[in-house]
Amino acid sequence: MPTITAFENSPDRGRGQARDMRVRWALEEVGQPYDVRLVSFAAMKQPAHLALHPFGQIPTYEDGDLALFETGAIVLHIAERHGGLLPTDHNARSRAIAWMFAALNTLEPPIVELGMAMLFERDRSWYAERLPMLQDRVRIRLGELSRRLGKADWLDGAFSAGDLMMVTVLRRLNTSGLLDEYPDIAAYVARGEARPAFRRAFEAQLAVFQAASRS
Ligand code: GTB
């Protein structure tokens, strides 16, 4: 049974924004049970965890003699070893993987930059000037994604690891108000969140936060 790591006490207060969520969701989609080892911020920077993750972050993934870090690599590994997250047709499979890269490489950077500014830069003198620029950078990508998605349910045929990754990245905009400007993208995210595997993964990470709040 694989073991993943997650925050002992997630700063997102159980909103499923930390990146263990995408690994949990992938494992739930393919029906693979898993263990979770919870780590504190201090423990993440200790040698035992650094041996698994050179940057001292979560999540990690261990299965037998394989240890992985980086959610892109972890989700791809899960998708390659189980059915259900990647098409069997070679070209369609490569396109689904391209969407995983697009989520991580093209959408996530401007979304994370906006999120970081909203969290940590609100009291800076230049915040009001910088915010619209960061929002516009995200709007450009959302507009492009919206045009490509069109009226389809998923990015390229059936739901794939590409959609899983894209939905987890887009969810980081939940409190930004930007998704309201793109109802088709908001509906796409909602479709992902409505999947039973997503719900199970979400409840599992929420239970960690609730247990930590009680103790
Ligand atoms: N590129 C890596 C991957 O995809 O695996 C990035 C991993 C990463 O950023 N991990 C974060 C971490 O361990 C947790 S998810 N940070 C601790 C550190 O770097 O010391 C990022 C995250 C954290 C909190 C919220 N939140 O509170 O909403 C959202 C996302």
Side-chain angles (χ1 to χ4, degrees):
M1 175 130 79
T3 299
I4 68 167
T5 51
F7 283 134
E8 186 180 74
N9 203 341
S10 179
D12 77 350
R13 306 182 59 78
R15 286 180 290 113
Q17 295 287 356
R19 289 183 175 91
D20 58 295
M21 181 61 204
R22 52 185 70 156
V23 176
R24 291 174 183 272
W25 185 9
L27 289 163
E28 292 287 354
E29 285 286 348
V30 302
Q32 170 64 56
Y34 60 99
D35 280 331
V36 183
R37 189 169 64 252
L38 301 175
V39 287
S40 65
F41 276 92
M44 280 191 284
K45 309 302 173 192
Q46 295 302 312
H49 190 76
L50 287 170
L52 293 172
H53 197 308
F55 308 112
Q57 296 183 313
I58 59 97
T60 57
Y61 172 99
E62 294 156 81
D63 193 10
D65 55 7
L66 175 68
L68 285 176
F69 61 98
E70 283 298 329
T71 52
I74 297 170
V75 171
L76 182 57
H77 171 81
I78 294 165
E80 281 181 330
R81 267 146 196 81
H82 302 266
L85 279 176
L86 285 175
T88 47
D89 173 79
H90 284 301
N91 287 352
R93 194 178 183 90
S94 295
R95 289 197 305 272
I97 294 169
W99 278 116
M100 291 180 66
F101 278 88
L104 296 174
N105 237 2
T106 305
L107 275 289
E108 192 164 51
I111 288 174
V112 167
E113 201 169 357
L114 172 64
M116 294 300 233
M118 291 175 70
L119 264 180
F120 300 117
E121 297 175 6
R122 274 181 194 275
D123 56 350
R124 299 304 181 99
S125 57
W126 30 260
Y127 178 70
E129 250 180 288
R130 183 164 142 83
L131 184 66
M133 181 194 73
L134 295 177
Q135 289 172 325
D136 282 347
R137 284 188 190 154
V138 173
R139 282 190 186 101
I140 288 169
R141 294 298 180 228
L142 293 181
E144 291 160 342
L145 189 68
S146 164
R147 277 193 288 284
R148 173 53 76 100
L149 186 63
K151 297 201 180 312
D153 278 354
W154 306 115
L155 289 167
D156 191 339
F159 176 83
S160 78
D163 294 295
L164 183 151
M165 202 57 90
M166 191 64 82
V167 167
T168 60
V169 166
L170 293 169
R171 288 187 74 249
R172 291 192 73 158
L173 291 170
N174 277 353
T175 55
S176 73
L178 285 185
L179 286 178
D180 299 339
E181 298 175 21
Y182 301 85
D184 51 348
I185 302 277
Y188 169 68
V189 172
R191 268 194 296 284
E193 291 175 336
R195 291 179 71 84
F198 178 95
R199 300 301 333 156
R200 289 193 296 274
F202 186 87
E203 293 304 326
Q205 63 78 39
L206 179 61
V208 173
F209 172 71
Q210 289 169 336
S213 315
R214 281 194 296 272
S215 62

